[in-house]
Amino acid sequence: MSLWTSLEPASATVDPGSSTRVRLRLRNTGDVVDEYRFEPVGAIAPWTTVEPQTLRLYPGTTGTVELTFAPPRTPDATAGPNPYAVRITPTEHPEAVTVPEGNLTITPFTELRAELVPPTVKGRFRGRPKLAIDNLGNTRLTASVSGSDNGDQLAYDLRPSNVQIEPGRAAFVDATLKPRKIIWFGPKEQRPYRLTVQRSGLKPEPVDGTYLQRGFLPRWLATFFGTLLALAVTFALIWFNYRPHVQSLAQEQPQEAAVSSIAPSPATTPTPPPAPSETPSSAPAANPGNNNGGGGGGGGGGGATATVTAKPRQDTAATAVNRLAADDPSGRHICYRAYVQGSGWQKPVCDGTMAGTVGKNLPIKAINIAVYGVQGSAANSFVYDPQSTNGQGRWNPNWTAIIADGKDNYIGSTKASDPYIEGFAFNVGNGQACSDAKVRDHDWGDPWCKGARPDLDFAGTLDNTLWLEAFKLTVTP
């Protein structure tokens, strides 16, 4: 049994997102009637269809099938020549398989997506957004990144300023925005800016963001100082114009006491009581009229008593925030603690105090949060992913929500084999949640505040090569 095949044309070209056809001709050069089955093989087989899928030929006759190639407009459709083949299996002689081969050239296309994370940053002296660039084309992307704004109000530090991204991958550019003029007093000012991704010979891709610059000193503080100065000047004027005659009254009072007939003599002056440190706090009061009875009572209570030492209760974020609530029941508070790798759980801190470590390169593995006055909290951790393909970590699959005040909320894991935390998101039932984070090899960022649920406040990083070292949390009305 034998079979003759021919691909027409042997080489074809197609654009991603469209299709092209190739004709496969075959002739039964044998002496028996046979039926042939067709199956595309190779890297582009998922985008190849054969019609018809079977063909019956008499000896010496010729038949034709059509191959349709439809690669998608995705990074998987690699640009350039792509070999393909069709496996032809005869029914009468399945062992005599024929595999004609051809070549399909997929044309290149360029497509990217750029996004600022977060789109709005706040700060007094600098802002630190990240620019995420995704290569959605089927060729390597080479681009440069630059920053601009109206009025040249900001300076830009972009690292890296040039990127090379393989198809289907992403890159992150760390941007530092520095205002050229400091606001000493006054309200916040919005400074729109633009980061532009420039590719050679192609149209630039702009991404717009906003830098919200805060005043160095809040307006209320300037008003407070002004009011305080006015009060001080007023008090000084009153003091110098209406000074009371204290000296003359003080001279007359001793003269009256010297001639009083009821003044006590030195012999009858009472002795002052002893200082508190001299009186035992646990001793019973003396009873001068019943000395014997007191001795008998002491003997009756002298039996031996067994002593049991209870294990102290662990101090968590909930116990800390409930202590604050007892002293300030009308306030809003948040307490938290960190589980540091190699050190274990730290003591809980509250309302903007630092948790974690600085300068020791020790990652945080778990976090314990409790709130009061804001109707509970919900949180989730963003952890290291050893199988990451985009340079980022991953979110834990489940959120932990404690919709009640004074209760412990835990995220992350204290197991040695579980990953460390790169960042975390959380929110509260009402009011506003604020955070500030310290990431390995980076300085403290500017505090980031979000409103009540469903808004989310994020602290930390998405970079899979970094980790969270320390953080501070607050809640406000």
Side-chain angles (χ1 to χ4, degrees), residues 180-199:
R180 301 186 185 275
K181 181 180 178 181
I182 297 176
I183 303 175
W184 295 103
F185 294 98
K188 304 174 183 177
E189 292 188 12
Q190 289 190 356
R191 305 199 185 280
Y193 68 94
R194 172 173 292 179
L195 297 184
T196 302
V197 182
Q198 178 66 59
R199 297 161 290 171

Side-chain angles (χ1 to χ4, degrees), residues 382-385 393 420-423 459-464 466-468:
F382 192 81
V383 299
Y384 170 75
D385 185 5
Y420 51 76
I421 293 178
E422 297 174 359
T461 181
L462 304 177
D463 194 329
N464 208 35
L466 305 177
W467 57 67
L468 181 67

Side-chain angles (χ1 to χ4, degrees), residues 1-4 27-31 36 58-61:
M1 176 268 173
S2 59
L3 179 69
W4 173 86
R27 179 184 300 159
N28 184 356
T29 59
D31 53 2
Y36 304 94
Y58 288 93
T61 61

Side-chain angles (χ1 to χ4, degrees), residues 41 105 122 148 214 226 228 239 262 274 279 341 383 385 412:
V41 294
T105 300
K122 305 176 183 179
S148 62
R214 298 170 174 167
L228 189 62
W239 175 262
I262 61 174
T279 305
Q341 182 171 297
V383 299
D385 185 5

Side-chain angles (χ1 to χ4, degrees), residues 138-163:
N138 64 351
T139 60
R140 176 184 292 181
L141 172 67
T142 301
S144 61
V145 183
S146 60
S148 62
D149 60 89
N150 293 330
D152 195 24
Q153 298 176 336
L154 301 173
Y156 303 87
D157 182 13
L158 306 174
R159 298 184 183 181
S161 59
N162 295 282
V163 294

